[in-house]
Amino acid sequence: GAASLTDEAKAARAREEALVSWLQDNDVYMSPQSGWGRAGHPLRVESDTSDDFEPSGRGLIARRSIIQNERLLEVPGRLVMTKARAQEVLGAAVPEEMGEYIALALLLVHERAKGSASMWAPYIGVLPSIEDVGPSYAWAEAELALLKGSGALDSTRSFQAKLHAEYAALRETTLARHADVLPADVVTYDAFVWGMTMLLSRGVDLKDEDAGTGQLGLVPYADLLNHSPYSSSNFMYTAIPFSKQREVVLYADRPYAANDQVLISYGQKSNAELLLLYGFVVDRNRFDEVELRVALAEDDERYGEKAAFLASVGLTAAQAFPLLIDRYSNELVQFLRLCCASPSEGPLSTLSFTEPLSLANERAVFEALRAGCQLALEKYPETEEEDAKLMGNAAMFATLSRRQRMAVKLRRNEKRILLRTIRVCEQELAEFDVSEARL
């Protein structure tokens, strides 16, 4: 009831206050008042933010207007979790050849098990559960069934298999050899997946100005920033002037008005990638894509010749290409021109696939593309109209769980891409009809 919710809210507020105190104790400048030669800290923590009418958890809000390229926050290097810190804390359990994600997941799990004795305890206290993040690899089978027809289902299954394989390899090597620092009852499969989930959903690429390279880091406070596909903020890992210490600095990618939520980009990702790693999708995500698989027809009389030609340029007889809402790749069209080339087109080595080979070939290309999109649409149990109707009924849509809503948004957006591509093919084919009528 209401009382338990307020208790929960009070506990969350207490954890946030503990984090802020810890950050201030560790020289993170958070005062909203301006001081000697320095502007007040421009951000504040908000417990419940929302984006696209969906709750998006804690976030950072502008206390005042912010100008482009303003320093938004600075976090001392000693608070940042990196592979180098994992090596300092866990010693030989983190050899040089161990990947950054695994090393940091082990550090996080190790520190979480230490409870209040961990230096990072106030930070770990505000980290979410796997359930809160909701990446598709942690979904139940009934929830995954809602992704039927989408490539997101295959990528989720292969990621689940990868996590199991990574953990099995760890058990046989690192955990067997270093049970003193990483006991099996601490580094369980669930704990490992939680650590990986934190890294996949909150790890940032720290660009090192001096070394010119990037490294994976967990940056306390900075990782409360939520995602926008259109932001271009980045984190710099730099030396502090007149000091041996380093710090992580985030600069504003654009101006923000007071009370705007300050967002960072997780990179240009399709909804299937966002759902897999971060547990959400972006409606009208302009980077969303559907992968279309195209292969030479095995009954093609020129099959052997075409397969050999493809092999000579380093390609196989089956390829996957991305379709976006407003475009498809030139490579897809070129591959289809080759697939549809008839004997009358002449030897393959004499053809330029960057240009139409003939009117008949170009017609065959768009007919094949349309058919491929129609086949892809048929793999989904529901139509785009059914999904749109469900999303359009606000009361009905609100009764679904957050994961169910994300699945419906994802598959509907993919169907929109396929339908849009079909319409483009039909326009092209109609133009061929006009051209042929003129001949």
Side-chain angles (χ1 to χ4, degrees), residues 6 11 19 21 90 113 167 189 242 247 267 280 291 296 346 367 374 386 406 411 421 426:
T6 55
L19 174 70
S21 299
L90 301 173
Y167 183 71
Y189 178 70
F242 314 112
E247 64 181 352
F280 70 88
E291 196 176 76
L296 288 178
E367 283 172 348
Q374 284 164 339
E386 286 167 332
M406 293 297 163
R411 71 193 193 200
T421 310
E426 285 174 346

Side-chain angles (χ1 to χ4, degrees), residues 11-118:
R13 182 63 46 85
R15 286 195 296 273
E16 279 158 26
E17 285 167 3
L19 174 70
V20 169
S21 299
W22 175 73
L23 290 165
Q24 286 173 323
D25 292 346
N26 281 285
D27 307 323
V28 177
Y29 183 74
M30 299 186 74
S31 166
Q33 275 76 41
S34 49
W36 288 101
R38 120 171 257 185
H41 179 60
L43 305 176
R44 64 180 167 82
V45 178
E46 177 75 63
S47 298
D48 298 300
T49 61
S50 69
D51 184 44
D52 205 20
F53 310 109
E54 290 286 353
S56 50
R58 285 189 189 88
L60 296 181
I61 306 294
R63 290 180 190 269
R64 54 170 171 80
S65 60
I66 290 170
I67 58 173
Q68 188 165 357
N69 295 328
E70 183 174 336
R71 285 170 84 110
L72 290 177
L73 51 82
E74 294 127 5
V75 177
R78 67 177 179 279
L79 300 186
V80 179
M81 288 186 164
T82 59
K83 182 179 169 185
R85 282 309 293 276
Q87 288 173 315
E88 284 170 29
V89 174
L90 301 173
V94 181
E96 203 46 55
E97 64 274 12
M98 181 179 276
E100 290 182 304
Y101 281 92
I102 306 286
L104 276 169
L106 291 174
L107 175 63
L108 205 46
V109 169
H110 169 79
E111 292 297 322
R112 182 175 71 159
K114 281 162 72 172
S116 58
S118 169

Side-chain angles (χ1 to χ4, degrees), residues 90-410:
L90 301 173
V94 181
E96 203 46 55
E97 64 274 12
M98 181 179 276
E100 290 182 304
Y101 281 92
I102 306 286
L104 276 169
L106 291 174
L107 175 63
L108 205 46
V109 169
H110 169 79
E111 292 297 322
R112 182 175 71 159
K114 281 162 72 172
S116 58
S118 169
M119 167 195 144
W120 284 284
Y123 168 58
I124 292 169
V126 299
L127 290 177
S129 64
I130 299 176
E131 192 65 25
D132 291 335
V133 180
S136 61
Y137 59 78
W139 287 18
E141 284 302 314
E143 292 164 331
L144 287 175
L146 298 171
L147 297 174
K148 190 165 191 275
S150 168
L153 186 56
D154 300 330
S155 52
T156 297
R157 294 244 188 264
S158 68
F159 199 82
Q160 288 171 329
K162 192 175 173 192
L163 282 172
H164 280 287
E166 291 279 13
Y167 183 71
L170 266 181
R171 284 204 65 147
E172 284 173 25
T173 54
T174 308
L175 303 186
R177 291 178 204 141
H178 301 282
D180 51 335
V181 261
L182 295 167
D185 62 336
V186 167
V187 192
T188 60
Y189 178 70
D190 288 345
F192 170 70
V193 174
W194 172 78
M196 289 296 281
T197 300
M198 294 308 103
L199 283 158
L200 291 161
S201 61
R202 331 173 72 78
V204 293
D205 179 31
L206 301 173
K207 294 178 177 61
D208 191 324
E209 276 186 334
D210 306 323
T213 55
Q215 62 175 309
L216 179 69
L218 277 176
V219 184
Y221 187 45
D223 68 2
L224 295 180
L225 290 157
N226 281 315
H227 164 272
S228 156
Y230 311 125
S231 161
S232 57
S233 307
N234 58 30
F235 291 92
M236 300 305 293
Y237 196 33
T238 57
I240 299 174
F242 314 112
S243 148
K244 289 183 178 160
Q245 303 300 312
R246 307 183 63 116
E247 64 181 352
V248 172
V249 183
L250 177 70
Y251 296 91
D253 66 314
R254 62 178 177 83
Y256 287 91
N259 298 317
D260 276 355
Q261 186 176 182
V262 176
L263 300 164
I264 54 163
S265 173
Y266 298 159
Q268 299 181 2
K269 290 185 165 60
S270 69
N271 278 342
E273 289 175 288
L274 289 174
L275 192 66
L276 177 70
L277 300 175
Y278 310 108
F280 70 88
V281 301
V282 175
D283 211 21
R284 300 172 300 281
N285 173 2
R286 68 175 178 206
F287 302 117
D288 201 15
E289 61 179 51
V290 175
E291 196 176 76
L292 193 68
R293 295 196 66 74
V294 184
L296 288 178
E298 291 186 4
D299 59 357
D300 182 343
E301 56 187 303
R302 300 187 76 173
Y303 182 87
E305 183 191 354
K306 290 177 181 179
F309 178 80
L310 286 167
S312 74
V313 292
L315 296 174
T316 57
Q319 297 290 321
F321 297 94
L323 300 177
L324 281 81
I325 189 69
D326 56 352
R327 64 190 183 281
Y328 41 81
S329 69
N330 292 332
E331 289 82 2
L332 166 61
V333 175
Q334 290 166 25
F335 189 78
L336 284 170
R337 283 176 183 146
L338 170 74
C339 289
C340 299
S342 66
S344 64
E345 247 89 47
L348 299 177
S349 57
T350 65
L351 301 177
S352 167
F353 296 100
T354 55
E355 300 294 329
L357 304 185
S358 65
L359 198 57
N361 179 267
E362 207 68 354
R363 176 186 280 282
V365 162
F366 286 101
E367 283 172 348
L369 181 52
R370 177 176 64 179
C373 291
Q374 284 164 339
L375 280 172
L377 276 174
E378 285 164 16
K379 290 180 179 169
Y380 297 92
E382 319 74 12
T383 64
E384 192 271 338
E385 290 86 351
E386 286 167 332
D387 286 344
K389 195 172 166 190
L390 179 56
M391 285 177 68
N393 181 340
M396 178 71 187
F397 199 54
T399 64
L400 301 181
S401 72
R402 183 173 189 275
R403 293 180 181 185
Q404 288 171 326
R405 292 195 301 273
M406 293 297 163
V408 174
K409 282 184 183 180
L410 175 130

